[in-house]
Amino acid sequence: MIPFVDKLIELAIAEDIGSGDITTDNLVPPDLTGSAVIIAKEPLVLAGLETARQVFAWFDGKTVFEPTHAEGDLIEAGTTFVKLEGRLAVLLKAERIALNFLQRLSGIATHVRAYMDLIADSPVRLVDTRKTIPGWRILEKYAVRVGGASNHRMGLYDGVLIKDNHIAACGGIKMAIHRARQSVSHLVKIEIEVSSQDEVKQAVEAGADVIMLDNMDTPEIKQAVALIGSKAFVEVSGNVTMHNLKALAGTGVDIISIGALTHAARAVDISMRIIK
Amino acid sequence: MIPFVDKLIELAIAEDIGSGDITTDNLVPPDLTGSAVIIAKEPLVLAGLETARQVFAWFDGKTVFEPTHAEGDLIEAGTTFVKLEGRLAVLLKAERIALNFLQRLSGIATHVRAYMDLIADSPVRLVDTRKTIPGWRILEKYAVRVGGASNHRMGLYDGVLIKDNHIAACGGIKMAIHRARQSVSHLVKIEIEVSSQDEVKQAVEAGADVIMLDNMDTPEIKQAVALIGSKAFVEVSGNVTMHNLKALAGTGVDIISIGALTHAARAVDISMRIIK
Amino acid sequence: MIPFVDKLIELAIAEDIGSGDITTDNLVPPDLTGSAVIIAKEPLVLAGLETARQVFAWFDGKTVFEPTHAEGDLIEAGTTFVKLEGRLAVLLKAERIALNFLQRLSGIATHVRAYMDLIADSPVRLVDTRKTIPGWRILEKYAVRVGGASNHRMGLYDGVLIKDNHIAACGGIKMAIHRARQSVSHLVKIEIEVSSQDEVKQAVEAGADVIMLDNMDTPEIKQAVALIGSKAFVEVSGNVTMHNLKALAGTGVDIISIGALTHAARAVDISMRIIK
Amino acid sequence: MIPFVDKLIELAIAEDIGSGDITTDNLVPPDLTGSAVIIAKEPLVLAGLETARQVFAWFDGKTVFEPTHAEGDLIEAGTTFVKLEGRLAVLLKAERIALNFLQRLSGIATHVRAYMDLIADSPVRLVDTRKTIPGWRILEKYAVRVGGASNHRMGLYDGVLIKDNHIAACGGIKMAIHRARQSVSHLVKIEIEVSSQDEVKQAVEAGADVIMLDNMDTPEIKQAVALIGSKAFVEVSGNVTMHNLKALAGTGVDIISIGALTHAARAVDISMRIIK
Amino acid sequence: MIPFVDKLIELAIAEDIGSGDITTDNLVPPDLTGSAVIIAKEPLVLAGLETARQVFAWFDGKTVFEPTHAEGDLIEAGTTFVKLEGRLAVLLKAERIALNFLQRLSGIATHVRAYMDLIADSPVRLVDTRKTIPGWRILEKYAVRVGGASNHRMGLYDGVLIKDNHIAACGGIKMAIHRARQSVSHLVKIEIEVSSQDEVKQAVEAGADVIMLDNMDTPEIKQAVALIGSKAFVEVSGNVTMHNLKALAGTGVDIISIGALTHAARAVDISMRIIK
Amino acid sequence: MIPFVDKLIELAIAEDIGSGDITTDNLVPPDLTGSAVIIAKEPLVLAGLETARQVFAWFDGKTVFEPTHAEGDLIEAGTTFVKLEGRLAVLLKAERIALNFLQRLSGIATHVRAYMDLIADSPVRLVDTRKTIPGWRILEKYAVRVGGASNHRMGLYDGVLIKDNHIAACGGIKMAIHRARQSVSHLVKIEIEVSSQDEVKQAVEAGADVIMLDNMDTPEIKQAVALIGSKAFVEVSGNVTMHNLKALAGTGVDIISIGALTHAARAVDISMRIIK
């Protein structure tokens, strides 16, 4: 349980229930029980079981929610992956909210897995960005991990990422890195975004932990990788697609960050069926 | 201002700021001012200006946020559509959160507009569903309207939608509609989901306001439309794609609902540039 | 469970407990157990059991709360309708809050039932208004239903009600109804408030779903009813009292709305007795 | 500003606005301005101006809200007591919520004033109880003061009130008062509820600050008053009505508590008129 | 359970967990169980068990939390006072938060006990002030009681304390006390701060319940005590230390208030050990 | 503005104001204005101005709050460091809350500065721990920085710190570090706690970024420092006092962590004086 996620779930329930479910409350006897299954309607990488469970539990803590598959499992179309038992009214009210969570999170995990498959044999680390749905940062970054990729920083608070405007405000790369080093915890690494070989050189000299090559083409990237050697991690960012990913992974960089892992994922098709 | 939306914005800021922006707080003097523009990086239908404005205002109420285009405008790639002035630290901290809202909301509006263009000359009403990102219901349904389509019910509270399990629990279509009519406000219409001509007939006889034809093929839909006449609105749902939309619109139905309007939309590319 | 109601209960507990119950916390051993009953001190229509149960459960989830009567039951003075068992300190702390909820909600249900009895043989629908205690909308409208009447819209969000200022802002009745029809969900009906036969005619022609006759006298109402026929529902509002209710119900209108159902209800007398 | 009251106002706005005012948002241009007045439709003692002001300010901080009368003023039917200027859409959206606060609070103040007028020449103090609308404690007790009466304790936290179950749990009046005295702040007085002359005597001997005579008749009350003398304040409670109030006030008691001050008050009739 | 305290615990968990415990979540299997003990590392007066229990319960309601000692017990260094059993991941995540509560609360109780021991044989009442850690008022005042001292008012709401600026605003001591008496509940006492014998005399004449002698030296205090007699409680405040406490207690005053009871307490050393 | 801190301020105001300031509300006319100063009553390092400003602004956004000194300034006893102007009632209500924040935060900054002065000429970094007042993490860590020291991780979310139980659960140091490296963002460093030279060696070989020497004596520390060389940062923790700090700083370690920086700080004496 994560307080931020609990708040999102609360908000999701409040926005859908509002003043009450006027269909179910009026048509379904509150004590009628039933069973249901949740089914993948297309192949997907499963993510979001715990969140879905919390949704059903909010309506009635006694609802039985039994997954038959695990987070990260690749599931074929037509597969049942959760069995539910409880009050029918609860199953009907919670259905859409729970599915909306599962669809988005499994959608991201599935999308990420496709990228990962392209570079399965590479030591390069694929990471997300902060281009996530507002309110969903923790859940989306979790789904990225379920899909097999890694996380960049969670937010503005857990990693330093110095960009051109920060550099300008400090009067140069050296000064910017120095000031950051002085100010932040010894457990936080310092990354800097650069766009020329000269900036790469300055960043190395100033002792950056991670150097992000912004929108460089392949030859430029290779030149930067050679220049940096083992003095810092090298991240590339910008214009990464499924088409050039494998090539980029071969340039020797350590990390490739792709906003599309989250912002271009679409919901996968998941449905619930009352079987009782 | 809508309380639910205010809460989502708060959550979005909290999840990104956490214990503080350790880059900007340490590198940018708090009183340094700057200017910025927000730019479309691809053609898009603009949505989300007010939400973006709220994000910048949260950090500093004195930030100047001047849109040069309006909600619903079709904007070409490369177009600047907002001018900003204020404290540089505020511009940098709020940037990603504001863009994340704009990207998703304009992404939906743009996606919806593409559907609308396909049936521009038809009187049929295109509507969304409850397949929205949890926490985002009101914003996503707003973006659907900006894109030119209409809304189905907002949640479980503002429209009756009777499905097969409700019917089963009541012992039949007639009883279900009757019970709903007795229970809900006279301002709320009653919709029922049916999947056969026989059910259509029962729904008409029971006085349903809206009849949803679930996963019927075109001939079945036409038969149902003829049977219903002007006694109820007719909605089709399920398996609607860009390819069959125009054909469906020609069957005489009143409303076509498409979950993909929201759940399959992707973020459009929008960026902010500090121009000093 | 409804998120809005949960928040009101939380607020009610916080305002009464504050920094702690300095009488009970200091005088009653925390583990001492006891029994209690809740008793009607005057005849009443019972409403609010679930809310009262939630109050006791907040203090201690193990408190036994056993109603012997059901929501909507007419209860004689002196009747015990709930049996309680649990920690004495919990019973004493929760008592006043739980009773305050029961008193107000049963008070409304009882008040409404008196109106309903006057028109027991009429098909007319008695409805409430938005004149409810702020923070209590959902609970008060629920108690109205328990009392036997129906609800008008819940809030500004689930029904269109066009009044004179809206009409003026749109430039006429026809334009106002047209614009509303274009904008809102197909599941939401459109009601318009009119005050002359000419306006009635315009509303009918514009296709209003419900026409509210504002402060018309009986002959005017009859004339309007005749004019509208079955083309729209007819609601009367304003100056409805227990004295003219039956007469109004005989005019052929469909709906009578009465703010006094909620705003003029008084608390009924209910008390709790510790029986050890 | 009081945090508890702010929360109630927020809740009141959220429950009425929900996902948005679908009438005004669709029919009234957001920048159209207007003027309005708030009018008493019956004679009343005014209470709630500040709360009403907060409601309008929530929607738009620039709304001009100018009272022409003060809290506690006795206002004749037909009197305008607030002038408003601002965006028409804001006036329309906030109207009902603001009026609902004013109606209830002025209703209580008016009701209380009627009681006060009966004992205008008596030094006795009329006080409320904890029988208030859950969530409204602070506002209702404020309205009681506006009406001219005084407050009993605000909640369980700011005054000790020992009842029979507390006495039983402690093993007697003496022990109960002693234990309370030991435990609570020296700024908090200790009141005890008694129902016989013997208990009165024990309470006096144990040093109670206030002795509440529960459901005693007039001769018993007089006897108790004589017994207590100036050693404690004397409060009577239970079965106090407008009819016996004056007689009770003549018995020599210091304080008369009446739950009906709040729980039997009805809303007074107040309306808003747009005058453009 | 006290709503204010619940909110503080929530905040404490949120600030520490943030987006998740990246060490434990990644290294400890979620279902691995373990045992632990909580140990005093220095002699202390125990306070905060219930709060610590709530912290562990937030993470997992099934965690066994068994205190072997009670609130207020004097515990020697090296003593185990709580045994825990549950999921290892829960024990590790909750550890620091629970200890931080225990350390501070036991720290206050221990500190207070040292003051109490100095005046063990005196009838004088030692009380705290409002100089508490913001957000911790209720918990710190609770720990003061556990330590053996008493509470002054909880906040601005449950006791009148008239200071020089209030007196000036009212035009004198007499008027200030009179106005307060008129306004507040009969259960609330009125205290006034004075700094000269003349003011003492005025306060007595005006009928103050408690008179606070501000920063007077011992002879002045004795003179004031004589002047006041039994007409009011006498409180001294300001410049009270462990060195002059006993002397002050001998002056005949009733109450000695010491901000240092809370604001100068330091955390005591408490640790948790996993014993598998 | 940091959402977590805003919530703490809200809580602090709510706990002190409760149902209202019954002294000031009843004795001070709401529109009476006044001036005040905030004064150091002992030498201190100033911290908390922004938080204090927020407190006054909550009560009235127009209150003028003018610091004459800056965060981190060393201030002599008797120095005025803030000038205030506004409504007298606001100054009186906010006074204690604002001072309580200033006293604690300046208390920490002052305490930390004393440690820093002992090692002013050393390159060693002094850092805090997670032993902070629950709810105050961000503010206390901020005050530590104002005092001149640095922060360890903010919470469980922004740094990996592997302790013995984590190691045991993973089956060894190597496996624990490897698993952490795989799981967390490339911007997060990995620290491990060790207690023997053998563990130091394993930690170095496994590639730990920071090695924490737990409760080692000086010779052991020196041996570990030599063994680690420049392959990782070295932190010492445990049993650090003002007496051995300088010696520890001379052992060649990079970081010394001291829980006492926060948990043993006491409030410094600060007061407000109304100067009319």
Side-chain angles (χ1 to χ4, degrees), chain C residues 101-112:
Chain C
F101 275 110
L102 283 169
Q103 289 186 171
R104 170 99 189 129
L105 293 175
S106 299
I108 290 174
T110 305
H111 188 61
V112 167

PDB file of all heavy atoms in Angstrom, chain C residues 101-112:
ATOM      1  N   PHE C 101     -27.701  11.645  13.515  1.00  0.00           N
ATOM      2  CA  PHE C 101     -27.983  11.195  12.141  1.00  0.00           C
ATOM      3  C   PHE C 101     -29.384  10.583  12.062  1.00  0.00           C
ATOM      4  O   PHE C 101     -30.167  10.899  11.176  1.00  0.00           O
ATOM      5  CB  PHE C 101     -26.944  10.161  11.670  1.00  0.00           C
ATOM      6  CG  PHE C 101     -25.699  10.760  11.094  1.00  0.00           C
ATOM      7  CD1 PHE C 101     -24.480  10.682  11.758  1.00  0.00           C
ATOM      8  CD2 PHE C 101     -25.731  11.391   9.859  1.00  0.00           C
ATOM      9  CE1 PHE C 101     -23.322  11.235  11.215  1.00  0.00           C
ATOM     10  CE2 PHE C 101     -24.578  11.938   9.303  1.00  0.00           C
ATOM     11  CZ  PHE C 101     -23.370  11.864   9.987  1.00  0.00           C
ATOM     12  N   LEU C 102     -29.692   9.684  13.000  1.00  0.00           N
ATOM     13  CA  LEU C 102     -30.992   9.012  12.979  1.00  0.00           C
ATOM     14  C   LEU C 102     -32.145  10.009  13.124  1.00  0.00           C
ATOM     15  O   LEU C 102     -33.174   9.887  12.459  1.00  0.00           O
ATOM     16  CB  LEU C 102     -31.060   7.977  14.103  1.00  0.00           C
ATOM     17  CG  LEU C 102     -30.307   6.674  13.856  1.00  0.00           C
ATOM     18  CD1 LEU C 102     -30.228   5.859  15.148  1.00  0.00           C
ATOM     19  CD2 LEU C 102     -31.006   5.844  12.766  1.00  0.00           C
ATOM     20  N   GLN C 103     -31.979  10.969  14.019  1.00  0.00           N
ATOM     21  CA  GLN C 103     -33.043  11.945  14.284  1.00  0.00           C
ATOM     22  C   GLN C 103     -33.393  12.767  13.046  1.00  0.00           C
ATOM     23  O   GLN C 103     -34.556  13.038  12.770  1.00  0.00           O
ATOM     24  CB  GLN C 103     -32.598  12.912  15.382  1.00  0.00           C
ATOM     25  CG  GLN C 103     -32.533  12.284  16.734  1.00  0.00           C
ATOM     26  CD  GLN C 103     -32.232  13.291  17.840  1.00  0.00           C
ATOM     27  OE1 GLN C 103     -32.323  12.943  18.995  1.00  0.00           O
ATOM     28  NE2 GLN C 103     -31.868  14.522  17.491  1.00  0.00           N
ATOM     29  N   ARG C 104     -32.348  13.195  12.349  1.00  0.00           N
ATOM     30  CA  ARG C 104     -32.586  14.048  11.178  1.00  0.00           C
ATOM     31  C   ARG C 104     -33.145  13.217  10.025  1.00  0.00           C
ATOM     32  O   ARG C 104     -34.111  13.618   9.375  1.00  0.00           O
ATOM     33  CB  ARG C 104     -31.280  14.719  10.744  1.00  0.00           C
ATOM     34  CG  ARG C 104     -31.358  15.438   9.416  1.00  0.00           C
ATOM     35  CD  ARG C 104     -31.565  16.920   9.573  1.00  0.00           C
ATOM     36  NE  ARG C 104     -31.847  17.578   8.306  1.00  0.00           N
ATOM     37  CZ  ARG C 104     -32.878  18.387   8.102  1.00  0.00           C
ATOM     38  NH1 ARG C 104     -33.721  18.667   9.083  1.00  0.00           N
ATOM     39  NH2 ARG C 104     -33.075  18.940   6.939  1.00  0.00           N
ATOM     40  N   LEU C 105     -32.553  12.056   9.775  1.00  0.00           N
ATOM     41  CA  LEU C 105     -32.988  11.265   8.619  1.00  0.00           C
ATOM     42  C   LEU C 105     -34.383  10.687   8.849  1.00  0.00           C
ATOM     43  O   LEU C 105     -35.229  10.719   7.952  1.00  0.00           O
ATOM     44  CB  LEU C 105     -31.961  10.168   8.314  1.00  0.00           C
ATOM     45  CG  LEU C 105     -30.626  10.741   7.834  1.00  0.00           C
ATOM     46  CD1 LEU C 105     -29.587   9.640   7.666  1.00  0.00           C
ATOM     47  CD2 LEU C 105     -30.794  11.497   6.517  1.00  0.00           C
ATOM     48  N   SER C 106     -34.640  10.178  10.046  1.00  0.00           N
ATOM     49  CA  SER C 106     -35.987   9.687  10.335  1.00  0.00           C
ATOM     50  C   SER C 106     -36.963  10.864  10.364  1.00  0.00           C
ATOM     51  O   SER C 106     -38.135  10.723   9.998  1.00  0.00           O
ATOM     52  CB  SER C 106     -36.005   8.951  11.681  1.00  0.00           C
ATOM     53  OG  SER C 106     -35.139   7.832  11.633  1.00  0.00           O
ATOM     54  N   GLY C 107     -36.500  12.008  10.791  1.00  0.00           N
ATOM     55  CA  GLY C 107     -37.352  13.197  10.789  1.00  0.00           C
ATOM     56  C   GLY C 107     -37.818  13.521   9.372  1.00  0.00           C
ATOM     57  O   GLY C 107     -38.995  13.830   9.146  1.00  0.00           O
ATOM     58  N   ILE C 108     -36.915  13.460   8.422  1.00  0.00           N
ATOM     59  CA  ILE C 108     -37.301  13.729   7.032  1.00  0.00           C
ATOM     60  C   ILE C 108     -38.250  12.643   6.523  1.00  0.00           C
ATOM     61  O   ILE C 108     -39.280  12.936   5.926  1.00  0.00           O
ATOM     62  CB  ILE C 108     -36.047  13.826   6.140  1.00  0.00           C
ATOM     63  CG1 ILE C 108     -35.282  15.111   6.477  1.00  0.00           C
ATOM     64  CG2 ILE C 108     -36.430  13.810   4.656  1.00  0.00           C
ATOM     65  CD1 ILE C 108     -33.952  15.244   5.765  1.00  0.00           C
ATOM     66  N   ALA C 109     -37.900  11.393   6.766  1.00  0.00           N
ATOM     67  CA  ALA C 109     -38.744  10.298   6.267  1.00  0.00           C
ATOM     68  C   ALA C 109     -40.159  10.403   6.844  1.00  0.00           C
ATOM     69  O   ALA C 109     -41.156  10.182   6.145  1.00  0.00           O
ATOM     70  CB  ALA C 109     -38.112   8.951   6.614  1.00  0.00           C
ATOM     71  N   THR C 110     -40.240  10.763   8.106  1.00  0.00           N
ATOM     72  CA  THR C 110     -41.539  10.884   8.767  1.00  0.00           C
ATOM     73  C   THR C 110     -42.345  12.040   8.171  1.00  0.00           C
ATOM     74  O   THR C 110     -43.548  11.918   7.897  1.00  0.00           O
ATOM     75  CB  THR C 110     -41.318  11.111  10.282  1.00  0.00           C
ATOM     76  OG1 THR C 110     -40.504  10.048  10.780  1.00  0.00           O
ATOM     77  CG2 THR C 110     -42.634  11.151  11.026  1.00  0.00           C
ATOM     78  N   HIS C 111     -41.673  13.143   7.971  1.00  0.00           N
ATOM     79  CA  HIS C 111     -42.289  14.340   7.384  1.00  0.00           C
ATOM     80  C   HIS C 111     -42.788  14.040   5.967  1.00  0.00           C
ATOM     81  O   HIS C 111     -43.916  14.390   5.602  1.00  0.00           O
ATOM     82  CB  HIS C 111     -41.210  15.430   7.365  1.00  0.00           C
ATOM     83  CG  HIS C 111     -41.684  16.779   6.973  1.00  0.00           C
ATOM     84  ND1 HIS C 111     -42.633  17.470   7.673  1.00  0.00           N
ATOM     85  CD2 HIS C 111     -41.301  17.591   5.948  1.00  0.00           C
ATOM     86  CE1 HIS C 111     -42.822  18.658   7.100  1.00  0.00           C
ATOM     87  NE2 HIS C 111     -42.041  18.745   6.049  1.00  0.00           N
ATOM     88  N   VAL C 112     -41.982  13.376   5.200  1.00  0.00           N
ATOM     89  CA  VAL C 112     -42.347  13.053   3.815  1.00  0.00           C
ATOM     90  C   VAL C 112     -43.554  12.102   3.789  1.00  0.00           C
ATOM     91  O   VAL C 112     -44.470  12.260   2.991  1.00  0.00           O
ATOM     92  CB  VAL C 112     -41.145  12.419   3.084  1.00  0.00           C
ATOM     93  CG1 VAL C 112     -41.571  11.797   1.762  1.00  0.00           C
ATOM     94  CG2 VAL C 112     -40.046  13.455   2.871  1.00  0.00           C
TER      95      VAL C 112
END
